[in-house]
Amino acid sequence: MKYVVMRDEETGEIVTLGRFHENALTERYSIKGFWIQDNTLESDLFDGLLEEISEREAKQIIATQFSREKQAA
Amino acid sequence: MNLAQQKIAEKSEQWARTLLTQAAKNEPEITEDLQNIASEVSAAMVGLEHKFKSEESLAKKLVAKVKADLPDLLITGFTEDEEIRKSINLRAGQNNDTLRYTFLFLNENYVFAFKQTLNSLAKRKYKVLEKRIWNAWKNIGNVFDNGYRGINITLISSQKQKFELQFHTKESFDLKTKTHKLYKQIKSNTIPLQRKNEIKEKLVKTAKEIQIPKGIKRL
């Protein structure tokens, strides 16, 4: 499994956290606190919009940015 | 179609028209430059008749991406209109394939010619978005491998026109053309996972016949 982020090209802010599974499943992390299937990540990959990150970085993003947004919501 | 979906469709169509109008204005200069560069680096430019993405495809692509963004956006406290606008603006701004070109290189010359092309583009003041260089050859055998073989880059011209340039060998271009419909399917959010997996496996298997350009993984 590989983790990816998509950033806002102007601000550098992470707008999507995603992951690619061996079985072709592609998911994005929802600020509701769980992973949801999202095949548009395949298109984002083709467009060069995704940056690979480690699992540790992904967990950090979930713990910081996404939990903060969830609280704000 | 509910109200939110209708708004997304309408805004996407508006954006698609705007992007295409802007691209049509800037295209002649870019095409001329790329034709000159192709001649310098011994590339064949193919698919020029398809250099503009169709308005329908562009709008569909925007709709799919905004729909995927929306469930999260709606719980951040903004109104639906604001969130649709925010997502469409982001997705339209990212778009690189309203205008797209393809260079074909000989397999043995691929890496050298790719580097030469980047130099020639820089000399003509084209900005290559470093983070958006997608070298699919490097993904062979890993989880990102979907059977696509080639390099796609995103550029910005001096008129601020964003566009895509793809680099293929004859074989990888033929493969892309042959498998185009299957790629469309795996990007769809309505395809069942099992079917997506089957298609991906088929694409990867088909791509095994493609000769890998020498030195490509070190790029």
Side-chain angles (χ1 to χ4, degrees):
Chain A
M1 183 156 56
K2 283 187 186 284
Y3 291 84
V4 291
V5 287
M6 183 170 71
R7 294 178 189 275
D8 183 312
E9 284 180 334
E10 291 187 358
T11 63
E13 178 199 357
I14 293 169
V15 288
T16 305
L17 169 66
R19 63 184 183 185
F20 285 67
H21 294 253
E22 296 291 341
N23 68 350
L25 175 64
T26 45
E27 297 174 303
R28 70 156 64 194
Y29 192 79
S30 163
I31 57 173
K32 290 172 190 164
F34 50 83
W35 293 93
I36 50 172
Q37 188 172 353
D38 181 2
N39 290 343
T40 64
L41 288 174
E42 298 282 356
S43 170
D44 294 330
L45 184 68
F46 271 81
D47 292 342
L49 288 167
L50 303 180
E51 175 190 328
E52 190 181 342
I53 58 165
S54 67
E55 186 177 354
R56 196 171 62 86
E57 286 170 301
K59 283 182 176 164
Q60 229 165 23
I61 292 165
I62 291 169
T64 54
Q65 183 172 330
F66 280 83
S67 63
R68 202 172 56 233
E69 284 183 11
K70 195 179 170 185
Q71 279 164 16
Chain B
M1 194 188 281
N2 65 32
L3 196 59
Q5 285 173 336
Q6 205 177 322
K7 277 183 199 161
I8 294 170
E10 282 170 13
K11 297 254 181 226
S12 297
E13 282 161 19
Q14 280 170 15
W15 258 113
R17 281 193 291 275
T18 304
L19 288 169
L20 279 162
T21 305
Q22 187 190 37
K25 195 178 106 196
N26 297 326
E27 169 274 325
E29 196 179 323
I30 296 169
T31 302
E32 193 185 336
D33 277 344
L34 290 184
Q35 282 171 326
N36 289 333
I37 293 172
S39 159
E40 284 167 24
V41 301
S42 306
M45 248 176 119
V46 294
L48 257 182
E49 66 278 21
H50 303 299
K51 59 183 174 289
F52 294 113
K53 200 176 183 80
S54 76
E55 188 179 315
E56 191 191 351
S57 300
L58 198 47
K60 269 189 184 170
K61 186 174 175 179
L62 289 172
V63 165
K65 293 194 175 193
V66 176
K67 273 188 183 173
D69 288 341
L70 210 58
D72 267 359
L73 292 170
L74 287 179
I75 62 167
T76 51
F78 291 97
T79 66
E80 189 175 87
D81 275 353
E82 284 170 332
E83 291 302 357
I84 291 173
R85 190 177 48 79
K86 193 174 159 190
S87 174
I88 290 230
N89 289 350
L90 172 79
R91 295 305 193 158
Q94 285 174 337
N95 185 273
N96 66 347
D97 62 356
T98 307
L99 183 61
R100 66 269 171 104
Y101 299 90
T102 303
F103 276 14
L104 287 197
F105 295 136
L106 291 174
N107 199 301
E108 58 272 25
N109 196 34
Y110 188 93
V111 172
F112 179 69
F114 172 73
K115 289 179 183 169
Q116 261 191 320
T117 305
L118 294 189
N119 287 336
S120 297
L121 286 162
K123 275 183 202 159
R124 287 173 169 83
K125 311 286 181 212
Y126 285 91
K127 185 181 172 194
V128 178
L129 299 183
E130 297 287 336
K131 286 190 172 175
R132 292 187 67 176
I133 297 178
W134 184 47
N135 181 356
W137 300 101
K138 280 189 173 174
N139 291 333
I140 296 174
N142 75 28
V143 76
F144 295 133
D145 189 3
N146 50 27
Y148 186 87
R149 301 290 180 259
I151 303 175
N152 298 355
I153 69 171
T154 300
L155 294 136
I156 302 180
S157 72
S158 54
Q159 317 101 309
K160 308 279 180 217
Q161 176 65 47
K162 208 175 262 186
F163 64 99
E164 182 190 58
L165 178 56
Q166 298 190 359
F167 299 88
H168 284 281
T169 63
K170 171 84 172 63
E171 275 185 305
S172 74
F173 182 73
D174 289 346
L175 174 76
K176 184 193 118 164
T177 309
K178 197 169 80 178
T179 53
H180 178 68
K181 283 185 181 165
L182 292 175
Y183 280 112
K184 273 180 116 170
Q185 285 187 47
I186 61 166
K187 292 179 203 169
S188 156
N189 256 341
T190 53
I191 187 174
L193 179 60
Q194 193 184 341
R195 177 69 186 136
K196 185 182 172 191
N197 198 8
E198 284 166 9
I199 293 175
K200 257 188 140 172
E201 280 178 2
K202 188 177 172 185
L203 287 166
V204 170
K205 196 175 164 192
T206 311
K208 280 192 175 145
E209 296 158 16
I210 304 298
Q211 199 187 343
I212 302 169
K214 205 175 163 189
I216 194 71
K217 292 195 177 182
R218 287 194 303 274
L219 255 183

